[in-house]
Structures are given as structure tokens and as C-alpha cells.
Amino acid sequence: MGKIAEHWRNMPLRHSFVCYVLLFAGLALLLCLVTHGICDWGQKQILAKYSSGPAVRYYLTNEQGERLGDGAIIYTDPAQLTAADERLMSWLRLAPSLAVPIYAALSIFAAAWLFWVQKLRAPLAELQLAAEKIAENDLDFALDCGRQDELGQLCASFELMRFKLAANLTEMWRQLESRRRLNRAFAHDLRTPLTVLQGYTELLQQSEEVASRETAAVMHRQLHRLTRYVESMSNLQRLEDIAPEWAPLDWTQLVEGLRDLAELVCRSGGRKLHFQAGLLASMPHLALDKELVANVAENLLNNAVRYATQTVHMELVLRQQDGAVWLCLTVTDDGPGFSQEALKLAAEPYYSESERAEHFGLGLYICTVICRQHGGVLQLANAETGGGQVRVTFLLK
């Protein structure tokens, strides 16, 4: 019995479906025969109540004239059925004809339903659950449907894919951690010799020779720039380890704080500010990390002030989509806008269109990292007026 059950469980889906259809088709045929017999028996029972009139018995005979069997009685005066029996007789005559399509439809439905329950529902649920876990980067599970049919083979392929993804993710994290350790060691080991060299350049700047003082001044500036570069590497490492600290959202306080920050940055850069803020019709209970949002806003405003001609536009709104609420922050300047290369690379670390730029091109990259840690994204575009536009989103909880 166990071997039969195992064979049935591992039978290919097309063979299983054919077996289900044949089984229920046979059951439908049996039910049709039973229904026909019951209806025929019912008609005879009704007619038997009206068998008291004159009758003639007829016999079958052979060539010699001998009677065969007991003969059949045929009534010469047909009996008149009552209205109720006449209606019942009509239904009994019609029932066998109706039984064929009804039983056929029921058998098809039953075969399909049983095929779904026995062969499809469990493995498809396993595959859906596995897909959801993989989408959430949860690869710590095993997938085994316990069968060898087509869906079992699909589960096995899915399990192989999960295993490869887990191995690749582990290797990626190992390489990433190795790179982080290397960067930390690089930044730490460079700090001491840079400090020593800066001390020597300061001494050389006190030399009596003009050429030596000028050379020492150039070296001091370059060493200062290199020191800032090393510090930026350390800051990036610390930034990637920051986790959001969710706090209840006070919309009014958030808007006022970001408006004050924007006015301060724009006033310091000699630019005008155009600020807009909107909210949802019904404000649910939400939470976000206000410090991270302010950090992103400050970086975006500094970039906008650097490239703006006169005005910086800042828009702050809440949007609801797919059951989630997002904080959308858009900063637009009226400058020349992003080049095609900048639209692709401006959010990368240490990217700058000018090789002699005083900054290291980390502002947008910092915003990208913070948005990603807060469940959002950063998007670059050029506004319809031609200026650069940066939109960031933060997932609210």
C-alpha cells in the first residue's frame, strides 16, 4: 500500500490528471446508469397502480409454434393517470437526459478540485512562501516538496537557486567585510604618517628660502586634502553601520525644523528659498528618524546652493502607496542641471565633474546610503525648467 501511495505521489502531473478524469468519468457513467434504472423502476411503479383494465397476453413462439417464456401483458384500454402522477412520469422520463450533462459537469469539477488539492496546492504554497522569503533576503530555510513529479522538480530547482543565492550572498558579505577591514586599516595606518608630514611642512614653511616656503605651502595643502580624504573614508565606514532610530512623527515640528534648516543654508549661500509642504488627508501614527532626514536635507541643500543661480526649491510631502506611507523630499535648483554622465554617476562615492573640486563628491552618496537604510531611494533628474532635481524617499513605520 505504501508503494502504491508513493507511486501515486510521484506520478507525472499529466498522468495524474488523466487518471482523475477517467476515474470521475467512470463514476459519472455509473451514476447515469443508476439514475436511469431508478427512473425506469419509478415509472413501472406508477403504471402498476393502473393495471386493472382488460389486457391481452402476447407470447413469443419458435418455428414449431411453441411458446417461449411467460409472455407479456398489454392492456387494451390505457389507464388515465392523475395529474400528479402525470407530472411525476414526465420528470422520470426527463431525468435520465438531464443526468448526463449534470453528472459530467460535476465529475469534471470534482476531478479538477481533487487534482488541485492533492497535487498542486501544497507545492505551490511552498514555492510562494519560498519566493516571499527570498524577496525579504531570508535565505535561512530549506525547500522540499517530498515528491518527484514536475512540481517536485521545480521545488528542487528552486532549492538549488536558494542555495546558490545564499552561498553568493555569504561570499559577497565576506568580500564586503574584507574590504571594510582593508579600508579601516588603510585609513588608520595613513593617519600617523600624514600627521608627521604635515608637521615637517609646517617647519619648512618657516625656512628663510622663498622657494622652500612655497614648496612647503603646496605640500601642506595637498597633505591637508589627503588627510580629509582619509577622514572621509572613515566617516563612510561609520555611516554604513548607522541604523535608523524610529521616533513618532510630529509633522508640524518636522516641517518647521526643515524649513529653518533650508533658510539657514540658503541664506549662507546667498540664495532664495521657495519652500512647500503638504500632508495626507488622514494622518496615521507614523515614525521616522528625524536626524537622518535632516542630514539628507542638509546635503541636498548644500549641493543645490552650490549650483543654483538664484533660487532653491524644496518640497516636502507624504504619499501613500501599496499600503505604505512615504516621506518624499524634493530639492530643485535653477542652475545648469545634471549632465548625462552626472545623472548616472553623481550618487557614486568620490564622483566629481571637476578634478580640482574642493569637495570629494560624497554628499549624494551619503544621502543614498541613508535613504537605503531608511527603506527609501534617491532619484536624480533635471527639472522642466532645466535645473537639477533630487528626490529622496523615506519609508515611515
Side-chain angles (χ1 to χ4, degrees):
M1 192 67 182
K3 292 184 178 180
I4 296 176
E6 183 179 358
H7 177 72
W8 178 260
R9 185 172 59 253
N10 297 328
M11 182 183 295
L13 295 179
R14 58 184 181 275
H15 296 167
S16 300
F17 185 73
V18 170
C19 290
Y20 279 116
V21 170
L22 292 178
L23 175 63
F24 281 93
L27 181 60
L29 178 60
L30 178 62
L31 290 174
C32 287
L33 294 176
V34 172
T35 302
H36 186 276
I38 292 174
C39 292
D40 186 53
W41 176 82
Q43 293 179 58
K44 290 181 180 179
Q45 293 298 316
I46 293 174
L47 292 176
K49 297 189 300 182
Y50 302 91
S51 61
S52 59
V56 177
R57 184 181 293 272
Y58 290 87
Y59 298 91
L60 293 175
T61 60
N62 56 18
E63 295 178 353
Q64 287 76 26
E66 297 176 350
R67 295 178 179 178
L68 300 176
D70 298 331
I73 297 176
I74 298 179
Y75 297 95
T76 56
D77 295 331
Q80 296 295 322
L81 277 65
T82 63
D85 287 342
E86 186 65 36
R87 287 194 299 271
L88 185 56
M89 286 288 292
S90 299
W91 278 107
L92 290 175
R93 294 190 190 101
L94 183 61
S97 300
L98 294 176
V100 174
I102 291 175
Y103 290 149
L106 290 177
S107 65
I108 293 174
F109 174 79
W113 180 82
L114 192 61
F115 179 74
W116 158 257
V117 171
Q118 295 291 330
K119 304 293 289 185
L120 300 181
R121 184 170 62 181
L124 288 179
E126 291 274 352
L127 289 171
Q128 182 178 2
L129 181 61
E132 292 174 354
K133 288 185 176 181
I134 290 177
E136 297 173 355
N137 290 326
D138 179 11
L139 302 177
D140 188 17
F141 68 94
L143 183 63
D144 183 13
C145 295
R147 57 180 67 190
Q148 302 299 324
D149 56 9
E150 290 87 345
L151 282 176
Q153 296 171 9
L154 180 60
C155 289
S157 300
F158 215 88
E159 169 62 16
L160 179 61
M161 180 188 70
R162 181 208 65 80
F163 178 78
K164 293 293 185 181
L165 283 174
N168 292 337
L169 187 61
T170 302
E171 178 62 19
M172 182 185 69
W173 278 110
R174 187 191 66 78
Q175 294 179 359
L176 182 60
E177 186 60 28
S178 176
R179 189 186 69 179
R180 287 179 176 177
R181 288 197 301 268
L182 179 62
N183 288 342
R184 284 195 293 266
F186 175 76
H188 180 269
D189 292 343
L190 272 183
R191 190 174 289 111
T192 299
L194 287 175
T195 303
V196 173
L197 289 175
Q198 281 183 328
Y200 280 118
T201 56
E202 291 175 358
L203 290 176
L204 288 175
Q205 290 182 68
Q206 300 174 8
S207 173
E208 296 180 356
E209 298 181 4
V210 177
S212 297
R213 290 200 304 270
E214 292 178 351
T215 302
V218 173
M219 292 175 59
H220 185 77
R221 287 196 299 271
Q222 295 302 321
L223 285 171
H224 179 66
R225 179 177 173 83
L226 186 57
T227 301
R228 290 174 52 211
Y229 180 82
V230 172
E231 290 177 353
S232 70
M233 291 180 60
S234 300
N235 292 334
L236 286 182
Q237 295 298 323
R238 289 193 294 269
L239 179 66
E240 293 180 353
D241 296 331
I242 294 177
E245 296 180 1
W246 307 91
L249 171 64
D250 187 331
W251 179 249
T252 303
Q253 184 180 1
L254 177 66
V255 171
E256 291 178 354
L258 292 180
R259 181 188 286 113
D260 294 341
L261 174 63
E263 290 177 350
L264 177 62
V265 174
C266 291
R267 191 184 308 114
S268 301
R271 302 291 186 266
K272 297 180 181 179
L273 172 67
H274 184 266
F275 186 88
Q276 286 181 306
L279 48 84
L280 296 174
S282 59
M283 284 286 294
H285 298 288
L286 301 171
L288 82 166
D289 191 321
K290 298 177 183 178
E291 295 297 327
L292 293 184
V293 173
N295 193 342
V296 171
E298 183 177 3
N299 279 284
L300 296 184
L301 288 167
N302 285 327
N303 280 344
V305 167
R306 185 181 301 115
Y307 293 102
T309 303
Q310 292 181 341
T311 307
V312 173
H313 297 264
M314 183 174 179
E315 182 183 14
L316 190 66
V317 295
L318 291 177
R319 292 179 181 173
Q320 197 164 9
Q321 183 179 3
D322 299 331
V325 181
W326 305 82
L327 173 65
C328 298
L329 175 64
T330 305
V331 177
T332 309
D333 61 66
D334 59 352
F338 294 104
S339 65
Q340 292 300 317
E341 180 185 13
L343 286 174
K344 299 178 181 178
L345 303 176
E348 296 295 325
Y350 301 109
Y351 171 80
S352 177
E353 292 183 299
S354 174
E355 295 183 357
R356 301 182 62 181
E358 293 298 326
H359 60 91
F360 294 108
L362 292 177
L364 292 179
Y365 177 73
I366 290 173
C367 296
T368 301
V369 174
I370 293 177
C371 291
R372 183 170 61 243
Q373 292 173 332
H374 212 294
V377 294
L378 179 143
Q379 297 173 320
L380 302 178
N382 286 321
E384 296 180 358
T385 56
Q389 184 178 81
V390 183
R391 177 177 288 113
V392 293
T393 58
F394 301 91
L395 177 63
L396 306 185
K397 291 187 178 181

